Amino acid sequence: GTRKVTFGTHTIDFDQWNTFVLTAYILAGFFMYVYVRYLTGSVTAGLLSGTCYSLGGFLTNHLTHANMIHCAAWTPLLMWLMDRLFFRR
């Protein structure tokens, strides 16, 4: 059988857990790319920032803390939305 991860009364497959964690890194890089591209207009700056953010120290050090990496992954999107809301570039 497949390995399982248990959270209280909930049990999920290990592959589902890995997918959940991996999506945080993908979203972090993408959202940082969008935010920096919006700020600078540069694709290169966006790609470099997205790569550095998603593979940087904070996210990689908290690999086992899914709640922290998902919060950090969504932060650039929230910053971009707040920037658009308040400054309307």
Side-chain angles (χ1 to χ4, degrees), residues 28-56:
F30 177 71
F31 292 152
M32 183 58 80
Y33 164 79
V34 168
Y35 184 47
V36 172
R37 172 109 191 260
Y38 169 75
L39 290 176
T40 66
S42 170
V43 173
T44 304
L47 288 173
L48 183 61
S49 298
T51 302
C52 289
Y53 186 67
S54 66
L55 300 176

Side-chain angles (χ1 to χ4, degrees), residues 56-79:
F58 180 81
L59 290 175
T60 55
N61 281 332
H62 290 286
L63 176 64
T64 58
H65 305 122
N67 57 339
M68 290 177 73
I69 60 174
H70 272 278
C71 278
W74 287 87
T75 301
L77 178 68
L78 295 174
M79 297 293 288

Side-chain angles (χ1 to χ4, degrees), residues 8 17 22 29 48 56-57:
W17 177 253
L22 182 62
L48 183 61

Side-chain angles (χ1 to χ4, degrees), residues 35 76-88:
Y35 184 47
L77 178 68
L78 295 174
M79 297 293 288
W80 176 63
L81 292 172
M82 286 175 43
D83 198 345
R84 288 188 53 135
L85 177 66
F86 293 118
F87 300 112
R88 303 248 185 220

